[in-house]
Amino acid sequence: MTAALISNKPEFVKLFLENGLQLKEFVTWDTLSSLYRNLDPSCLFQYKLQKVLAEDPEHPTAVPADPRVHMHFVAQVLRELLGDFTQPLYPRFRPYDQVRLTLRVPHGKPNDSSGDAAFKRDPARDLLIWAIVQNRRKLAEIIWDQSQECIAAALACTKILKELSKEEEDTDSLEEMLALADEYEHRAIGVFTECYRKDEERAQKLLVRVSQAWGTTTCLQLALEAKDMKFMSHGGVQAFLTKVWWGQLCVDNGLWRVILCMLAFPLLCTHLISFREKRLQAVRGLLRVRAFFSAPVVIFHVNILSYFLFLCLFSYVLMVDFQPTPSHCEYVIYFWLFSLTCEELRQLFYDPDGCGLRKRAFLYFNDFWNKLDIIAILLFIVGLTCRLIPALLYTGRVLLSLDFIMFCLRLMHIFTVSKTLGPKIIIVKRMMKDVFFFIFLLAVWVVSFGVAKQAILIHNESRVDWIFRGVIYQSYLTIFGQMPAYIDGVNFSLDDCSPNGTEPYKPKCPESDTNLQAPAFPEWLTVILLCLYLLFTNILLLNLLIAMFNYTFQQVQEHTDQIWKFQRHDLIEEYHNRPPAPPPFIVLSHLHLVVKRVILKIPAKRHKQLKNKLEESEEAALLFWETYLKENYLQNQQYQQQQRPEQKIQDISNKVDAMVDLLEMEHVKRSGSVEQRLASLEEQVTQTARALHWIVKTLKDGGFGLEADVPTLASQKASEGQDPELHSRQEEEDPGDAHHVNARHLLYPSSLITRFPVPNEKVPWETEFLIYNPPFYTAERKDKGVVDPVGSALEPLSGIRYNAVDGPVDRRSSHGPYAVRDGLPLNPMGRTGLRGRGALRYFGPNHSLQPVVTRWRRNQDGAICRKSIKKMLEVLVMKLPISEHWALPGGSQEPGEMLPRKLKQVLQREFWSSFQSLLTQGVEVYKGYVDDPRNTDNAWIETVAVSVHFADQNDVELTRLDSHLKHHDPKISVRWQVVDKRIPLYANHKTILQKVATLFGAYY
């Protein structure tokens, strides 16, 4: 099982599980350590784990590495991926506990007495994490099917994969991780849908149940941290959030009823507001008032009313009642802001989950609206400080006025709860990013035009404020139609400008003549610059901004509902944990909270609504119910997969293929049996004919009967019956007897050379062909063997001895001596339309060897297969990746070598000598010229075809041959091919194979 996991064999893992392997007994500390020690080297998790090991002071790098990977290091990396809100999944052992790691721990804790009781062992979880971090889809799918907390497991997988994808540099791996994360999010949605359809209340318990196996977190928290918007936008999750939003009130209460009871709370004694609990519906008085004002929806609207009052009072103080000495209204503003500051501090330091101050601070400042709150409060403090200093009174009022804008922007967060305005605010936030990047593009044109305009119009302006006006301010206003003054020289007046730039409220006059009566700058240049500036800013950049807005709107609009539902949780959680009293009365709630939590140590009860730890028996029943519905989900998925048209077509295709195979096997069995019976009948008829021939001859020699009455009998040879088709094939000419055809193909292979056209009647050298002027072509070969010189010069070729053995090269032809003209040999088969040696090695004959290795084709029972009464052969063929055809395992021979180069590629080296012995015992079926496209007028191929036949299927040499074939070499394909006239071989190889079939009387 461990080997199947490490080598990524999901089918074997599935087979082990189906045959009763228990994960609780298989997954031990040693097994997990071995699995993480054998992580894929290219895995990103492996890199992060090695980084943690290198940083750990208890894991020195100077000594040889510990062969085990301690699981607390793995837990450290997993907590980094899952988030700090989770607890470590594996405990950290003390030194004296290391000896216990080798013990099998089927289900319990490694050391219950050491405080590790919070660590829950889950074998399916451990293997699932190991498979997910390596992005092994099929293996993770099999293990997830075995998991118990399937929804939490799927959401945790999405969190891990999304975190790993942020650091993955390989684009393909990144896309695979995101696709797998999306798949497990759909799995979580599918199982939760099954649960929600069955029982809404129990399904909502699954959302907030504390999972010990996944670090004391909840499914809802995992989905939020992983940003699984599809899961969060599920109807069941939104129904749960709506239930939390309304608190103990019924969700069907109209909003107008809530607002009416807020303004006139004695109406709560009536039945205007309905509660979910019957006891609240029955009683009247303080209990109903407390339940009403504790609902998040009521707290939200009360805070909205309070915030509007704060803004109204703040604006009144700024515009009407801002005195040198703070008034009573201003003191109320100070106290109001103090209460808001206390609430922000409560949100920062209140930690019901035990995440720690660092994590709480990260979560707090990660929220945009909290950042806006902090900026508004700090700006108010700065403005208040300046306001209390008499010399900076006006500065303080300016800062407080700016701070009022910040507080007004905070209203947008309040509107996010609205289903109508919430999505629009999301779109506005996305468009603000587009505006931010657009400003950089716009600044290039504004600054470039402003500086050029200022330098052309104004000479040595020393006032910084007027430089800013001329370069930035006027250039920016020009975009909106306010043209710069004097840019075209029209309406020039000394009354509107300062000649020397000494008047503080007038701009400096532009360049003018000596009398200061007319402008002297080039008006045509400034007008051209203005036109170009307006062209690029008004037309190009502004339309680009509109196009960016349109793209962002279309992109976000498709997922706006999901984004809004996802962000809705943050607002609901904020007001669920918020004290009921609005500012400034919230200070009383803060005092009550300090007494209750710090002094009396009373835990929060309202928080359990979003994170609930169940009793052991209740949790076991809930998980069993979840597992049961997970099986229903998997069955439904399998059924839907089978009902897909593509799957149906695939199933039908598989069934048809199976039926065809069965029919062919049945046909082969029947045809083989019939052919065997026909062959036996043919043999019996032949024996009967021989016996009758002998009887008639004996009676004739004995003088029985008259001479005229003797019947005319066919010869014994004819009675044995020779196949007329075979006889006609034997009478066919040899492949080298007729005029070559392939050697006259117009295009020479693997080159751009075109042959000189040669008609059939002009092929023989004896025939006069006056206009024959073929090109000369000799290719440079890449192999470093013995090769004749390259080029058309005759001097290097003068040393070649033709019609003889020239050193290691045999230049004799099997067709006898050939002619040599102008120092070059002539093709014995005639003209080809090309001079030189082409792609061949040598001028003259290039000898090759074609071993034809055959055996009888047999049925499953070992009988020889027949077709048309003739036995069927199988031939050994090979195929190289550069070729489209199969070929015999032969070819050209190196000088001094007995076996061709291609045959050596097929056979292992230790079998070469044995195959040489088989060749010497073989039968030569052909020797002579080969009509090959590579032949030229001066170089051609001649071959020797040797038949090596294995008649017995138990032949020792045949068995050795099969064992020494390179079946597993990806560069070479080798197989036994049935001999047939439709066999996909080269034409000259098929001719040789036909002769072999004729030799053995086999089918072709």
Side-chain angles (χ1 to χ4, degrees), residues 122 124-125 128 143-158 184-192 194-195 206 209 211 213-214 219 222 231 622-634:
D122 189 344
R125 175 206 63 183
L128 178 63
I143 299 174
W144 182 81
D145 293 346
Q146 305 292 322
S147 62
Q148 192 175 20
E149 302 181 30
C150 50
I151 298 179
L155 295 173
C157 289
T158 62
Y184 274 92
E185 183 179 359
H186 280 90
R187 286 173 176 264
I189 293 173
V191 178
F192 182 74
E194 291 288 333
C195 298
L206 287 173
R209 181 192 65 86
S211 174
W214 291 100
C219 295
L222 282 171
F231 183 85
L622 188 64
L623 293 180
F624 178 79
W625 178 71
E626 180 188 10
T627 305
Y628 170 74
L629 292 178
K630 178 199 69 176
E631 297 298 331
N632 290 348
Y633 165 74
L634 294 176

Side-chain angles (χ1 to χ4, degrees), residues 712-851:
T712 303
L713 297 176
S715 65
Q716 186 174 350
K717 182 178 180 181
S719 65
E720 292 176 1
Q722 185 176 6
D723 189 357
E725 181 183 359
L726 180 61
H727 181 68
S728 64
R729 289 179 182 174
Q730 290 176 346
E731 294 178 353
E732 286 183 356
E733 295 180 347
D734 289 341
D737 294 340
H739 295 322
H740 42 210
V741 177
N742 295 330
R744 288 184 290 148
H745 285 174
L746 193 60
L747 293 177
Y748 193 81
S750 302
S751 72
L752 301 176
I753 303 300
T754 305
R755 296 180 187 268
F756 190 91
V758 180
N760 289 337
E761 64 272 10
K762 299 296 184 179
V763 171
W765 294 107
E766 296 79 9
T767 304
E768 187 177 9
F769 196 9
L770 297 178
I771 64 172
Y772 185 61
N773 186 22
F776 191 96
Y777 174 65
T778 297
E780 293 187 4
R781 297 179 60 89
K782 296 182 180 180
D783 50 355
K784 299 181 180 180
V786 180
V787 181
D788 285 348
V790 179
S792 59
L794 297 179
E795 288 79 5
L797 306 178
S798 60
I800 299 177
R801 297 169 53 202
Y802 298 108
N803 291 309
V805 177
D806 184 17
V809 182
D810 187 2
R811 300 187 188 273
R812 296 173 298 178
S813 174
S814 58
H815 294 273
Y818 47 85
V820 179
R821 181 186 300 172
D822 298 331
L824 295 176
L826 296 182
N827 193 320
M829 293 301 152
R831 299 180 177 90
T832 62
L834 184 67
R835 298 174 60 240
R837 64 174 172 84
L840 300 178
R841 284 191 171 192
Y842 316 115
F843 286 95
N846 290 256
H847 296 285
S848 66
L849 175 65
Q850 295 292 349

Side-chain angles (χ1 to χ4, degrees), residues 134-422:
Q134 298 181 90
N135 203 17
R136 296 184 175 181
R137 179 187 297 267
K138 293 185 178 179
L139 196 60
E141 179 181 349
I142 294 172
I143 299 174
W144 182 81
D145 293 346
Q146 305 292 322
S147 62
Q148 192 175 20
E149 302 181 30
C150 50
I151 298 179
L155 295 173
C157 289
T158 62
K159 172 64 175 174
I160 293 173
L161 289 168
K162 288 180 179 180
E163 289 297 324
L164 289 175
S165 66
K166 295 177 182 178
E167 304 181 31
E168 183 60 56
E169 298 179 355
D170 185 24
T171 305
D172 295 337
S173 299
L174 186 145
E175 292 178 355
E176 290 177 3
M177 286 181 180
L178 294 180
L180 188 57
D182 188 64
E183 176 182 339
Y184 274 92
E185 183 179 359
H186 280 90
R187 286 173 176 264
I189 293 173
V191 178
F192 182 74
T193 302
E194 291 288 333
C195 298
Y196 190 71
R197 289 175 181 173
K198 197 72 174 178
D199 191 332
E200 296 182 7
E201 185 176 353
R202 298 180 77 178
Q204 292 174 356
K205 280 186 179 181
L206 287 173
L207 292 176
V208 295
R209 181 192 65 86
V210 175
S211 174
Q212 296 293 339
W214 291 100
T216 65
T217 185
T218 64
C219 295
L220 190 64
Q221 200 167 9
L222 282 171
L224 288 168
E225 292 291 331
K227 296 184 179 179
D228 292 332
M229 296 186 182
K230 295 178 183 177
F231 183 85
M232 290 299 298
S233 60
H234 187 276
V237 179
Q238 291 299 310
F240 170 74
L241 293 178
T242 302
K243 180 179 176 181
V244 174
W245 179 244
W246 284 90
Q248 298 183 25
L249 306 180
C250 290
V251 295
D252 55 354
N253 285 313
L255 188 59
W256 65 271
R257 297 183 181 180
V258 175
I259 297 176
L260 188 60
C261 290
M262 282 170 45
L263 299 176
F265 64 89
L267 293 176
L268 291 174
C269 297
T270 64
H271 293 286
L272 185 63
I273 293 293
S274 56
F275 295 84
R276 288 205 309 268
E277 297 184 12
K278 294 182 178 179
R279 63 182 186 88
L280 292 175
Q281 193 69 21
V283 300
R284 297 180 181 179
L286 186 60
L287 194 60
R288 288 170 64 93
V289 174
R290 181 180 179 183
F292 176 79
F293 283 100
S294 298
V297 62
V298 178
I299 297 174
F300 172 75
H301 287 92
V302 170
N303 276 270
I304 288 179
L305 182 60
S306 170
Y307 199 75
F308 273 108
L309 292 176
F310 167 74
L311 292 179
C312 292
L313 186 60
F314 196 2
S315 61
Y316 171 77
V317 170
L318 289 175
M319 295 186 297
V320 178
D321 195 20
F322 197 84
Q323 306 296 335
T325 303
S327 62
H328 296 289
C329 293
E330 194 169 348
Y331 280 120
V332 173
I333 292 294
Y334 298 162
F335 181 73
W336 210 311
L337 188 80
F338 172 76
S339 66
L340 292 176
T341 305
C342 293
E343 174 58 22
E344 295 300 324
L345 292 175
R346 185 199 66 81
Q347 294 181 19
L348 176 61
F349 293 103
Y350 183 59
D351 187 17
D353 296 328
C355 299
L357 180 60
R358 181 178 179 183
K359 178 63 177 178
R360 285 299 307 169
F362 174 77
L363 293 176
Y364 178 83
F365 288 105
N366 197 38
D367 185 74
F368 171 77
W369 303 110
N370 288 335
K371 295 177 184 177
L372 190 64
D373 290 337
I374 294 298
I375 294 174
I377 291 172
L378 293 178
L379 186 59
F380 187 90
I381 294 173
V382 174
L384 177 60
T385 304
C386 296
R387 185 255 183 280
L388 296 178
I389 300 175
L392 300 176
L393 178 64
Y394 181 71
T395 304
R397 193 177 75 180
V398 172
L399 292 176
L400 292 176
S401 301
L402 295 177
D403 191 41
F404 180 79
I405 298 176
M406 306 292 292
F407 281 111
C408 288
L409 291 177
R410 189 63 172 80
L411 284 173
M412 292 203 309
H413 178 53
I414 298 174
F415 296 142
T416 55
V417 75
S418 172
K419 194 171 185 180
T420 305
L421 296 177

Side-chain angles (χ1 to χ4, degrees), residues 452-483:
K453 176 186 71 68
Q454 184 75 6
I456 294 172
L457 294 180
I458 309 298
H459 177 68
N460 292 341
E461 174 65 80
S462 59
R463 295 173 297 177
V464 178
D465 55 339
W466 282 102
I467 292 176
F468 178 80
R469 285 170 177 263
V471 174
I472 305 298
Y473 181 64
Q474 292 182 0
S475 300
Y476 179 74
L477 293 180
T478 303
I479 301 176
F480 303 99
Q482 185 173 339
M483 295 297 113

